[in-house]
Amino acid sequence: DQQLRNAIARGSRSREARDLAAHSAAMTAEERKRRHSAFRIELSEQIEDRLRKLADHFPGFQYATVIGDDGWGARITRDDLNLVRGRSGDSLYSRLEMVVSPLGGAPIIELVAKGTIRNREVFNRRHFQSLDEADLTGFTSMINLWSVEYAEQFASDASV
C-alpha cells in the first residue's frame, strides 16, 4: 500500500513539474514575441527615417513602406532610362530595401538589406542577434552603415 501511495505521489510531482515547465516555456515564447515586436517597431521606424532621408538626397527615388510576409521596413526604388544613340533605351533599375524579418522558429531578430544600382546587385546582407542578447545600437549602426554605403555607391555609379 505504501509503495503504491509513494508511486502515485512521485507521478503527481512529475506531472506538476512537466506542467510547470510547459507553462514556463509558453511564457518564454510570449516574451520572445513581445521582445521581437518591440525591436521590430523600433528598427522599422529607424529604417523608414533613414530611407526617407536617402530618397530626399537623390531625386527620382520613390519611397514605400514594407509590411508583409518578408518583414517590416522600407524600400526606395528608382527607374532610369539609358539613352544611347542608334539603340533603343535601356531601363535601369535601382533599389534599396531594408526589413526586419518576422519571428521564425529561431529566437533571433534579423535585419535584411538588398541593394541594386542600375540593374546590378551591389549587396545582399543579413545581420542577426539572439533575442536574449540583442542590442539596438548594433542594428542602428548597420542601418546607418548600409544606407551610407549605398548612397556612396549610387553617387559614384549613377549619373544622379
Side-chain angles (χ1 to χ4, degrees):
D1 245 7
Q2 186 61 33
Q3 286 180 328
L4 187 55
R5 277 186 242 132
N6 288 343
I8 291 171
R10 283 192 308 271
S12 293
R13 285 191 302 272
S14 175
R15 184 191 66 229
E16 289 170 1
R18 267 194 326 269
D19 290 348
L20 182 61
H23 179 66
S24 177
M27 294 298 284
T28 303
E30 282 302 313
E31 175 63 21
R32 279 190 210 126
K33 285 181 186 177
R34 186 197 64 70
R35 188 166 169 93
H36 186 274
S37 181
F39 274 106
R40 183 198 68 203
I41 290 168
E42 178 67 30
L43 293 173
S44 295
E45 289 174 359
Q46 291 180 26
I47 290 168
E48 290 173 3
D49 181 57
R50 195 64 165 160
L51 293 189
R52 280 185 203 276
K53 288 178 182 174
L54 188 59
D56 289 344
H57 283 79
F58 295 109
F61 271 101
Q62 301 296 313
Y63 171 86
T65 300
V66 175
I67 300 173
D69 294 339
D70 293 335
W72 297 265
R75 119 178 15 106
I76 55 173
T77 58
R78 174 175 161 162
D79 285 317
D80 293 312
L81 190 59
N82 185 23
L83 298 175
V84 178
R85 183 173 254 173
R87 290 187 16 206
S88 63
D90 294 329
S91 177
L92 300 173
Y93 179 73
S94 298
R95 163 186 91 157
L96 177 60
E97 178 177 297
M98 286 191 214
V99 296
V100 178
S101 299
L103 181 61
I108 62 170
I109 184 82
E110 179 181 41
L111 175 65
V112 178
K114 298 175 184 176
T116 303
I117 297 174
R118 299 174 68 89
N119 296 345
R120 184 176 52 90
E121 186 174 292
V122 291
F123 61 76
N124 187 346
R125 298 189 179 146
R126 295 177 180 277
H127 176 73
F128 62 91
Q129 291 180 351
S130 166
L131 277 171
D132 298 333
E133 302 167 0
D135 174 29
L136 275 175
T137 308
F139 283 97
T140 301
S141 295
M142 286 294 125
I143 292 167
N144 292 333
L145 176 69
W146 293 345
S147 60
V148 166
E149 183 180 332
Y150 183 85
E152 183 176 342
Q153 287 185 27
F154 185 84
S156 70
D157 290 353
S159 55
V160 185

